[in-house]
Amino acid sequence: MTQDTSGTTTPMGFGRMHRKEDARFIRGRGTYVDDVRLPGMLHGAILRSPHAHARILSVDASAAEAYPGVRAVITGATLETLNLAWMPTLSADVQAVLATDKVRFQGQEVAFVVAEDPYTARDAVELIDVGYEPLEPVVDARRALDADAPVIRDDLEGRTGNHIFDWEAGDRAQTDAIFERAEVTVAQDMLYPRVHPAPLETCGAVADFDKVTGKLTVWCPTQAPHAHRTLYALVAGLPEHKIRVISPDIGGGFGGKVGIYPGYVCAIVGSIVTGRPVKWMEDRSENLMSTAFARDYHMRGEIAATRDGRILALRVKVVADHGAFNGTAQPTKFPAGFFGVFTGSYDIEAAHCEVTGVYTNKAPGGVAYACSFRITEAVYLVERMIDVLACELDADPAELRMRNLIRPERFPYTSPTGWEYDSGDYPRALRLALDMAGYDKLRAEQAERRRGDGPQLGIGISFFTEAVGAGPRRHMDILGLGMADGAELRVHPTGKAVLRVSCQSQGQGHETTFAQIVAAELGIPPDDVEVVHGDTDQTPFGLGTYGSRSTPVSGAATAIVARKVRERARLVAAAMLEASPQDLEWSVSETGGRWSVQGSAGHGRSIQEIAMAAHSNLELPEGVEGHLDAVTVYNPPNLTYPFGAYVCVVEVDPRTGQVKVRRFVAVDDCGVRINPMIVEGQIHGGLADGVGMALMQLMAFDEDGNHLGASFMDYLLPTALECPSWELGETVTPSPHHPIGAKGVGESATVGSPAAVVNAVLDALRPYGVRHADMPLTPANVWSALRGSPLRTDLAIT
Amino acid sequence: MQITVTVNGQPYTRDVEPRLLLVHFLRDHLALTGTHWGCDTSNCGACVVHLDATPVKSCTVLAVMCDGHEVTTVEGLERDGELDAVQKGFAECHGLQCGFCTPGMMLTARWLLDNDPDPDEGRIRETISGQLCRCTGYENIVRAVRWAAGHEAGRAAAGEGAREGTRT
Ligand code: FES
Ligand code: FES
């Protein structure tokens, strides 16, 4: 724990507790990847394509090679000789590490310079002369499948177009039949625009290949260190036990630090070629232009309903822009991620969706930015559609939702597309959110304001259900690796413990939360538990941290491994007390955990006494090994389904199109909360994301495929001024299948909030006849919408 | 060219290229890696340090411009083993998650409290609005600064002289 300034004691388990990791961060003593400095370390820089689509005619690196201080220049041709010019993606495609034949998006990696210092490396990059023949780019995803569209992936055998996949879910015939006889149907086209998670720390790596031992050590801010190690072994053909991936402190990830980027591979090759450690750090423009974007779903939603507001069916068609390489990071069988949960929180008879993935001349990615594998898009779709229906029926959006929410008695609930929601009480959460917001009073104020032509009030609601904690290994794997995670718990003779887990924090506070889980299970103070993570040489295998899976998966593994330790302790305690293990009972009091003889609490031993005895010369019964250490692997039996009800209140000035978020009420139910302070912090961050995506974060492309959001001057992120003071509420519906009833929360607010903000703005614009406008609702976009022509926010505003 | 910069009270003399940015001077030449960087356009504020008691974005200052001047970084906030009230406030109020924006945020907060010991929420938000945090949604940063304002009265009275000497 950090220096305790308030004098509060830490809980022996769950509860508010200061973060252990803060002690180093507030002193500037964290170690992020750019803080790693090794003796003799060189620095790399990448030359990137200025074109979105062009044939490479020539690459002349001679001037760069001759530049003083340069130690190596690596091009696509160099990598070809090593069979490393292409690498597999997480979606059964390949991606160029350094381009050889063509460049396929602006900012694509073309060459890599290794030099004595970063400034020199950048100087030398400028000296590389590349001859390009520009080709027509595919910028508009909706035109990617046109017969005359240029073929982007002519590197793939037999490719004649830009089609990647078709995927569907639900029952088409049943859904169509309901639509045919429905009293009311509404349809709406909408775009969930391309956004970038933009963690404050960009990506980078330090690679150190030791020729003598044959060991490669890679420091990089990865959310999935073990998956990276296995991939490096598969890609580079290096023996896996000779690879060590160290993920140091990470300056935010949000899904953008899951995959392997070409720069990482270049740093590794640079170290192998020069025999010295090589650091590569991308700058912000490189980060925004080339690392994993998120969303880019062009959607058409349709609802069939009764005139009195009972929703019967939902039908969705999507064109998914995957960029130039299909590099989405999601479980193998789910090319559209978990978009299949698009019926959301509503009890709908039938549903069907079709998703078509296409290539465009843009950076790869798609699944990133706290999206829970595309549930962001799914929630946005259904929550916008409910408001469109409310508009059509002239119904109150809160009442319409209440009317259609899945009732508590329906859980476990199987959705029309086959997802089994574990637990929930949706109406309770929505009622709480509406009460906290003072919904009726807000509607009254809105009516009042509508009589004038000043700033209009908008009230937006969003209700979300997430499916997180991937996942059951029979359904879910990434590149054949089942989505299970390990945990290892050592208890030292004095009763202090070291927990080793496969997941990796990017700011979520795992060192604190996971210590609290052990503390709760073993009855020792969280300060007595050290959490080790982010180093493949020191932790058990597992798939890492994304999709809100740390607490659902690694958290479960932690609880279970601690219970194993506790059971071992029972056997030792029985020997100490000369009692039968079955006659002992476990208790945790203020002084800590103990095993005692049932009915005589005084006759017992503390966990610390047991730990010492387990390492001592105490005579142990047959079959009891001694020591208390344990390992486990957790295979989730199902996903967990956190949910929440959000109400956003905005003021929109119809004269300028300016939107101000006045209030945001968020009721979250993520099951049992281990450290409520950390949970609330995570929600705050996600709500800010919602404000940013809904109102500001514009990542458009011009007709030549130029990226128009490639710096923080153009890609606007919310500051303290755009964010209101968040108002949080909670309900607790434990997950029935998770060992501690927790559900995961890291992405909830990012998933749930954009729809609330957009619904609020459009609610304000309702008297002006605006039914829909796409994110981001910038002043220009709102202003245009008020004049009847909302903007296409994926293309250049002309 | 040779420069001498006083960082956290200690003078450092180094030979540097004229184009070297202050942020790189601190990080790469002095190994003070607590100061971070997050953009190329002076937008994020991860790099904020004090230059003669005024917050500056160290990615937008050349090291040579600091010759003969004083710089304070996050490593200089703690005095004689005692954390600054701002540091305590950030830990106390969960004002940080990944910690990447934190040094810059704390230095701006320190400057604010030096100039306005009791800032309200609006003033705090405005003061940190040139800096980005991607994790906290700002709420707890604001609370952290308020907490620090409320917890340094006693200390300020005791150590007024020392603080005045270096910071204002
Ligand atoms: S590094 Fe972003 S403002 Fe200095
Ligand atoms: S704590 Fe991560 S950017 Fe602020």
Side-chain angles (χ1 to χ4, degrees), chain A residues 706-777:
Chain A
N706 290 310
H707 194 301
L708 303 180
S711 82
F712 283 167
M713 304 237 271
D714 303 300
Y715 185 63
L716 301 184
L717 297 167
T719 75
L721 289 178
E722 285 80 36
C723 294
S725 186
W726 316 108
E727 302 168 55
L728 305 192
E730 71 173 275
T731 61
V732 177
T733 316
S735 168
H737 63 76
H738 188 276
I740 54 175
K743 288 187 168 187
V745 74
E747 304 170 314
S748 287
T750 314
V751 167
S753 58
V757 182
V758 173
N759 283 343
V761 175
L762 290 161
D763 183 57
L765 300 184
R766 207 157 146 181
Y768 300 85
V770 181
R771 196 167 81 162
H772 179 77
D774 286 328
M775 297 185 277
L777 294 163

Side-chain angles (χ1 to χ4, degrees), chain A residues 421-492:
Chain A
Y421 297 13
D422 58 351
S423 63
D425 186 342
Y426 294 178
R428 180 166 64 134
L430 181 54
R431 263 194 306 275
L432 177 58
L434 295 173
D435 287 350
M436 283 174 65
Y439 188 68
D440 296 336
K441 258 178 97 177
L442 287 169
R443 285 286 174 211
E445 183 189 340
Q446 178 181 54
E448 183 62 36
R449 284 187 186 235
R450 279 185 177 166
R451 285 192 270 278
D453 59 0
Q456 296 293 308
L457 199 69
I459 306 149
I461 302 169
S462 154
F463 199 106
F464 68 90
T465 299
E466 277 215 277
V468 305
R473 75 195 302 167
R474 65 187 183 284
H475 300 310
M476 293 173 192
D477 68 271
I478 290 194
L479 286 186
L481 303 170
M483 299 187 78
D485 282 65
E488 187 187 310
L489 185 58
R490 294 186 196 166
V491 181
H492 299 320

Side-chain angles (χ1 to χ4, degrees), chain A residues 200 712, chain B residues 23 36-48 57-60 130:
Chain A
L200 202 54
F712 283 167
Chain B
V23 64
H36 303 143
W37 58 269
C39 72
D40 343 306
T41 47
S42 292
N43 288 97
C44 78
C47 60
V48 166
K57 288 177 170 168
S58 63
C59 69
T60 316

Side-chain angles (χ1 to χ4, degrees), chain A residues 5 19 32 37 119 284 718, chain B residues 24 28 38 92 97-98 138:
Chain A
T5 44
R19 298 196 324 165
Y32 302 90
R37 283 166 166 65
Y119 283 52
R284 180 55 63 186
Chain B
H24 294 147
D28 300 338
E92 186 68 33
Q97 290 181 31
C98 77
Y138 304 102

